[in-house]
């Protein structure tokens, strides 16, 4: 088989890229390790920046998002038992975020891809291998239903997440990796109960961080910070709700509606960046290239901005026969990535309880939070990063 761009991974990065390239008349094939249902079953991001919302529109898949997504003009910070609102809209001069689950983003993109009849090969398992990307005729091989297949292409887009094969295929000497692993994780629970509040609540407490998020007016997503070595089997739904309640302010505690979990899982927190993002005719995008701790809600949004830059570079290559866009892809994308890495690290450090740091750490966090909610300059810095820095 021959295609112009072989895309590895059918997460948001791969699906968005496939759609943008297709709109520009550039052929592409997506190879995905898992089944479509498995990909849709992963409960992950919930907050889209304007950049991601605009990209969904550009892909022609924004209709349901605008209908069902929730526009949030503020977030609440809870510390010392009290909540303080950060007015995103007024602090940024008009910006907001969209609460629309990654599952829905993926579902809309998969449906559009299927409707356009674009080739996606699911369940390739660990069989995908990348060859010849140091030259102009790269090849991707995979096995499906016991048969070997080969795709000849002009470019390979590695959109296969943190554990994918693309980054792992790059010679060690050609790539530099920066990493920080945090000493805690997030235990998340999804339930069909109305959200405790109509905006997100980020809580700093002496028992650790908590987040109250949502997917709709009837579906809530909650998280509590847990030790890194914690196992999800140790957490009954009741234990989760009890711990969450202890981390809320009295009013929210009173209003919290509990119910059986639809999903419960623990995610570790990590900051990670690989440099550069281009190796000959192979490009990395999204989680394949970088990871942020979820506190700033930036992971999916960075995948979207990488894809925006990469698609425009590839379109320029085919339409205008200019390689300026693909030559600058890595540098352009990394500038935005590092700023989101900094913000996510800062917000994580401010909101979580770090083991072995003692009571002074809590006091210093509370002083910073007090400053943050009372200083217009500091609130503005938080707000403009939260809604997303310009492309
Ligand atoms: P994905 O979604 O991991 O997709 C990669 C795909 O590649 C496939 N794959 C392979 N395919 C073929 N061959 C191989 N060898 C392969 N290896 C892997 C995988 O099966 C998968 O389908 O990466 P992508 O597309 O870069 O998207 C990134 C986002 O998924 C991620 O950044 C976000 O989920 C992060 N994130 C959040 N981001 C936000 O912007 N806002 C949020 O509110 C937010 N909350 C979160 C989050 C991530 C979380 N977890 C669980 C890590 C909350 C949580 C709890
Ligand atoms: C979510 O709804 O899953 C979510 C929201 C905000 C975050 C992280 C996760 O910062």
């Amino acid at each position: 088989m021959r295609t112009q761009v072989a895309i590895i991974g059918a997460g948001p990065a791969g699906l968005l890229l496939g759609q943008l390239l297709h709109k520009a008349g550039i052929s592409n094939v997506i190879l995905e390790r898992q089944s479509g249902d498995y990909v849709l079953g992963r409960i992950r991001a919930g907050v889209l920046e304007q950049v991601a919302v605009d990209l969904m529109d550009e892909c022609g898949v924004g209709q349901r998002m605008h209908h069902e997504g929730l526009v949030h003009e503020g977030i609440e910070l809870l510390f010392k038992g009290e909540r303080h609102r950060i007015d995103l809209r007024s602090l940024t001069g008009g910006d907001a975020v969209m609460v629309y689950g990654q599952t829905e983003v993926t579902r809309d993109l998969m449906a559009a891809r299927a409707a356009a009849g674009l080739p996606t090969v699911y369940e390739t398992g660990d069989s995908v291998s990348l060859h010849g990307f140091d030259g102009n005729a790269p090849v991707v091989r995979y096995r499906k239903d016991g048969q070997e297949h080969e795709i000849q292409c002009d470019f390979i887009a590695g959109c296969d997440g943190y554990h994918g094969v693309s980054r792992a295929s790059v010679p060690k000497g050609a790539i530099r990796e920066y990493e920080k692993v945090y000493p805690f994780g997030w235990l998340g629970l999804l339930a069909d109960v109305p959200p405790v509040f109509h905006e997100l609540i980020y809580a700093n407490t002496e028992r650790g961080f908590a987040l109250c998020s949502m997917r709709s007016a009837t579906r809530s997503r909650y998280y509590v910070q847990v030790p890194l070595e914690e196992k999800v089997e140790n957490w009954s739904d009741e234990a989760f709700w009890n711990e969450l309640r202890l981390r809320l302010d009295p009013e929210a505690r009173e209003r919290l509606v509990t119910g059986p979990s639809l999903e419960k899982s623990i995610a570790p927190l990590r900051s990670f960046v690989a440099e550069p993002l281009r190796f000959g005719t192979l490009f990395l995008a999204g989680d394949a290239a970088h990871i942020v701790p979820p506190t700033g809600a930036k992971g999916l949004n960075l995948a979207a901005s990488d894809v925006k830059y990469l698609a425009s570079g590839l379109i320029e290559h085919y339409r205008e026969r200019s390689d300026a866009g693909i030559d600058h892809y890595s540098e352009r994308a990394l500038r935005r990535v590092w700023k989101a890495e900094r913000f996510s690290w800062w917000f994580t450090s401010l909101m979580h309880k770090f083991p072995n740091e003692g009571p002074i750490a809590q006091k210093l966090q509370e002083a910073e939070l007090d400053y943050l909610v009372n200083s217009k300059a500091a609130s503005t810095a938080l707000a403009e990063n939260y809604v997303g820095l310009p492309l």
Side-chain angles (χ1 to χ4, degrees):
M1 195 198 312
R2 179 159 173 92
T3 192
Q4 287 172 303
V5 182
I7 300 173
I8 320 297
L15 289 165
L16 280 167
L17 180 64
Q19 206 60 21
L20 289 176
L21 295 179
H22 165 66
K23 291 256 166 210
I26 299 169
S27 64
N28 61 88
V29 176
I30 298 186
L31 302 179
E32 165 59 48
R33 182 213 298 253
Q34 307 283 1
S35 69
D37 283 344
Y38 182 96
V39 172
L40 285 173
R42 294 189 297 227
I43 310 297
R44 289 185 168 183
V47 177
L48 304 183
E49 296 174 355
Q50 193 61 44
V51 167
V53 169
D54 290 346
L55 210 55
M56 289 285 281
D57 285 334
E58 204 175 322
C59 288
V61 299
Q63 216 174 350
R64 194 165 69 97
M65 172 186 71
H66 287 294
H67 188 65
E68 295 177 16
L70 307 168
V71 175
H72 279 207
E73 301 188 352
I75 56 170
E76 303 250 319
L77 297 182
L78 164 55
F79 61 97
K80 289 172 86 175
E82 280 182 24
R83 272 194 267 149
H84 306 260
R85 184 163 190 268
I86 300 290
D87 189 329
L88 300 173
R89 181 78 87 194
S90 73
L91 287 164
T92 59
D95 290 342
V97 292
M98 172 82 85
V99 172
Y100 190 63
Q102 178 167 335
T103 313
E104 308 314 313
V105 168
T106 310
R107 195 187 303 282
D108 295 343
L109 287 163
M110 279 181 176
R113 191 166 176 88
L118 305 180
T120 313
V121 186
Y122 284 100
E123 299 185 82
T124 54
D126 285 327
S127 70
V128 172
S129 59
L130 283 52
H131 308 270
F133 54 81
D134 52 349
N136 286 330
V139 167
V140 177
R141 298 199 182 103
Y142 66 97
R143 204 173 323 106
K144 174 81 181 167
D145 301 329
Q147 290 228 331
E148 301 288 336
H149 300 265
E150 184 172 288
I151 303 177
Q152 291 161 2
C153 54
D154 301 329
F155 299 104
I156 304 173
C159 301
D160 47 352
Y162 181 68
H163 299 286
V165 64
S166 301
R167 196 182 70 251
S169 304
V170 174
K172 283 280 164 276
I175 192 165
R176 174 126 193 228
E177 298 183 347
Y178 301 83
E179 184 173 44
K180 179 178 176 69
V181 178
Y182 299 84
F184 40 73
W186 281 16
L187 169 64
L189 181 146
L190 185 74
D192 272 334
V193 291
V196 66
F197 189 65
H198 65 277
E199 291 181 337
L200 270 59
I201 304 174
Y202 289 86
N204 169 303
T205 83
E206 288 182 14
R207 299 182 69 87
F209 171 77
L211 170 60
C212 306
S213 182
M214 67 193 71
R215 291 293 175 271
S216 70
T218 56
R219 183 167 286 190
S220 300
R221 179 69 165 162
Y222 293 109
Y223 298 96
V224 292
Q225 175 187 348
V226 293
L228 195 52
E229 51 291 344
E230 192 62 88
K231 297 272 174 284
V232 68
E233 303 82 69
N234 296 338
W235 286 83
S236 64
D237 288 359
E238 201 193 350
F240 179 92
W241 292 118
N242 286 339
E243 186 57 41
L244 177 65
R245 215 178 266 115
L246 290 170
R247 299 186 190 190
L248 298 180
D249 57 291
E251 190 200 336
R253 198 174 295 151
E254 191 67 28
R255 281 175 177 233
L256 183 72
V257 181
T258 64
S261 61
L262 302 169
E263 192 264 4
K264 206 162 46 188
S265 54
I266 295 181
L269 269 67
R270 185 192 304 276
S271 297
F272 172 85
V273 182
E275 288 189 347
L277 304 182
R278 180 190 182 178
F279 308 89
T281 41
L282 165 66
F283 298 90
L284 301 180
D287 278 15
H290 41 74
I291 297 286
V292 284
T295 324
K298 290 283 166 257
L300 171 57
N301 294 301
L302 281 183
S305 56
D306 284 0
V307 162
K308 172 87 188 150
Y309 294 134
L310 181 54
S312 75
L314 290 170
I315 293 167
E316 208 176 298
H317 168 86
Y318 286 109
R319 280 205 187 141
E320 295 163 32
R321 307 201 174 280
S322 158
D323 281 349
I326 54 176
D327 287 346
H328 287 118
Y329 166 66
S330 183
E331 188 197 326
R332 279 175 88 190
L334 282 168
R335 273 189 80 185
R336 193 165 196 273
V337 165
W338 275 113
K339 286 181 208 140
E341 290 282 347
R342 184 214 63 86
F343 173 67
S344 304
W345 156 79
W346 166 78
F347 201 29
T348 300
S349 308
L350 179 64
M351 299 305 291
H352 290 73
K353 185 178 174 71
F354 283 74
N356 311 323
E357 289 208 353
I360 191 171
Q362 179 69 28
K363 286 286 187 190
L364 290 170
Q365 286 177 338
E366 287 170 1
E368 183 167 352
L369 281 159
D370 190 7
Y371 167 64
L372 188 59
V373 300
N374 287 300
S375 152
K376 188 155 184 217
S379 305
T380 304
L382 167 63
E384 68 184 14
N385 279 280
Y386 193 85
V387 300
L389 296 175
L391 274 179

